[in-house]
Amino acid sequence: MLIKKKAIKMSLNFQELMRPVPRRAVFRMAGWQVWGGTTVRGDDGYYYLYFSRWRKELEHSAWCTHSEVGYATADNPLGPFVFKGTALKGRGGEYWDAHCIHNPAAIKINGRYYIYYMGNKGNGEYWNHRNNQRVGVAEAEHPAGPWKRLDKPVIDVTPGSFDHLLTSNPTVAQSPDGRILMVYKAVGDGILPRGGPVNCGVAVADYPTGPFKKFPEPIMTNPENDWSVEDPCVWYQDDRFYALVKDFQGYFSKDEKNTVALFESFDGAEWAPAEHPLAFKKEIHWEDGEVQKVAFMERPQLLLENGTPKVLYCAVSVGPKAKKDSFNIHIPLKES
């Protein structure tokens, strides 16, 4: 356990925090699929948006084989952001993250910057790359880099465990005692190529680069379907940890499939749906009054300021399941 406290506040109602979105609060790139944005504020006062991107002609499934992490800057967390370059890409050779870098989660800890990410290497075939996903971290003194990576993943697989096949999609928060709590996606053993149950796991470390110690059991398991949740975003606020997660079946959010659910934990180990479990639906409430329903609205990531969420960043696709066009939106939040 990380902490054990008696609740001092009511659980968040995340839907009530979300404010209408200005039309400028969108980041997209011509010729590229854009996915999974995460933002930190630098000591220079600028906001640095890190995001997954890959060439649009490769189609959406190339997220698993060709993704890299680009970055853009703005003087406002809602944007508009200006593209600056590539922050992280596959290192080639025999590195575990030789070919694909995806789904970044950025955080500033003790004056240094960290990007946690999924990396893989493979033979060019989707499932081979997907099943070689592992969790890594890059560290820098400045949010523009250069970024230093470890030679090995910080979260590898554990044969015979709930993360037997792959680890992916990390998110971290600093606990009140200074330790680092990570929540990550895990896929267990099962019939290939899809493998077994999809859940989340927890690990803790004294330092941002590890070593991380895994908790032995998965969290947020769905008793009715073994594909439970993914794409966690975790933070600590007031007296507890919170996590936003993509709810594959809508089981926890009590809504349609692939909505985002809110979980909470008082110790970092045991998690339960929050009092208001539906965090948000797949729709954008624009500042000009339009409510736009979208096909996908996922990969939630938060910008925290003074310990509270200020902006929610999400990956969006408005097209059919093929996801032929994707981009990031930046949703302002009320103070909670």
Side-chain angles (χ1 to χ4, degrees):
M1 291 186 182
L2 289 178
I3 57 171
K4 189 66 177 178
K5 282 188 176 182
K6 183 179 179 181
I8 59 174
K9 279 195 173 185
M10 297 293 290
S11 178
L12 286 179
N13 185 334
F14 198 85
Q15 289 186 85
E16 292 184 349
L17 301 183
M18 298 173 69
R19 300 171 62 189
V21 183
R23 291 286 180 176
R24 77 172 192 280
V26 170
F27 182 80
R28 63 199 318 154
M29 294 186 69
W32 295 82
Q33 297 276 28
V34 171
W35 205 250
T38 176
T39 299
V40 294
R41 188 178 187 181
D43 291 335
D44 56 8
Y46 284 94
Y47 294 89
Y48 288 74
L49 172 70
Y50 308 97
F51 55 93
S52 300
R53 68 171 193 157
W54 61 97
R55 290 288 182 183
K56 189 170 285 189
E57 64 263 23
L58 298 174
E59 299 187 349
H60 191 79
S61 61
W63 71 263
C64 197
T65 55
H66 290 77
S67 181
E68 65 181 30
V69 173
Y71 79 102
T73 63
D75 58 8
N76 187 298
L78 298 180
F81 283 87
V82 177
F83 177 70
K84 294 297 182 180
T86 299
L88 296 170
K89 62 181 180 179
R91 286 187 276 186
E94 295 302 314
Y95 283 106
W96 65 273
D97 57 354
H99 298 138
C100 176
I101 308 294
H102 192 61
N103 281 352
I107 189 171
K108 182 181 180 182
I109 299 175
N110 299 330
R112 297 182 69 83
Y113 300 88
Y114 300 88
I115 297 177
Y116 296 83
Y117 63 93
M118 177 281 286
N120 70 42
K121 67 175 179 179
N123 62 10
E125 190 270 328
Y126 173 88
W127 288 106
N128 180 263
H129 283 259
R130 183 262 195 180
N131 293 340
N132 280 321
Q133 293 177 73
R134 304 292 186 266
V135 170
V137 63
E139 178 182 12
E141 295 182 358
H142 189 278
W147 295 93
K148 179 181 178 181
R149 286 183 262 183
L150 303 180
D151 289 341
K152 295 182 179 181
V154 289
I155 300 289
D156 208 333
V157 297
T158 301
S161 182
F162 66 92
D163 62 5
H164 174 101
L165 184 61
L166 68 86
T167 63
S168 185
N169 299 4
T171 175
V172 301
Q174 191 167 26
S175 68
D177 65 6
R179 287 190 289 171
I180 310 303
L181 173 80
M182 179 187 290
V183 178
Y184 64 97
K185 175 183 175 179
V187 179
D189 192 17
I191 298 173
L192 295 176
R194 287 167 64 92
V198 177
N199 291 298
C200 283
V202 176
V204 295
D206 291 330
Y207 305 101
T209 54
F212 281 87
K213 182 179 179 180
K214 296 178 184 177
F215 289 22
E217 300 296 331
I219 59 173
M220 309 175 190
T221 57
N222 181 343
E224 297 181 357
N225 195 297
D226 63 4
W227 278 55
S228 182
V229 299
E230 69 166 0
D231 288 349
C233 172
V234 65
W235 75 102
Y236 187 85
Q237 182 176 354
D238 298 324
D239 60 343
R240 72 199 78 179
F241 293 99
Y242 286 102
L244 297 169
V245 291
K246 176 183 173 180
D247 186 356
F248 281 111
Q249 317 303 330
Y251 175 83
F252 301 106
S253 65
K254 309 301 180 186
D255 205 271
E256 64 185 55
K257 290 184 177 182
N258 298 326
T259 46
V260 171
L262 179 67
F263 277 73
E264 62 184 13
S265 172
F266 293 102
D267 62 8
E270 297 181 5
W271 291 80
E275 181 183 359
H276 305 282
L278 176 61
F280 57 86
K281 299 184 179 184
K282 296 177 289 185
E283 57 187 30
I284 304 170
H285 293 251
W286 295 104
E287 205 171 55
D288 58 17
E290 180 189 0
V291 178
Q292 180 183 8
K293 294 188 180 298
V294 298
F296 295 89
M297 185 168 161
E298 51 195 52
R299 284 299 301 161
Q301 294 287 304
L302 292 171
L303 173 67
L304 302 178
E305 293 198 345
N306 299 317
T308 59
K310 182 174 182 178
V311 180
L312 170 67
Y313 299 87
C314 283
V316 170
S317 176
V318 297
K321 191 173 182 180
K323 298 181 180 176
K324 295 186 180 299
D325 181 46
S326 59
F327 53 92
N328 279 320
I329 62 166
H330 323 137
I331 303 169
L333 302 174
K334 299 177 185 176
E335 271 196 44
S336 57

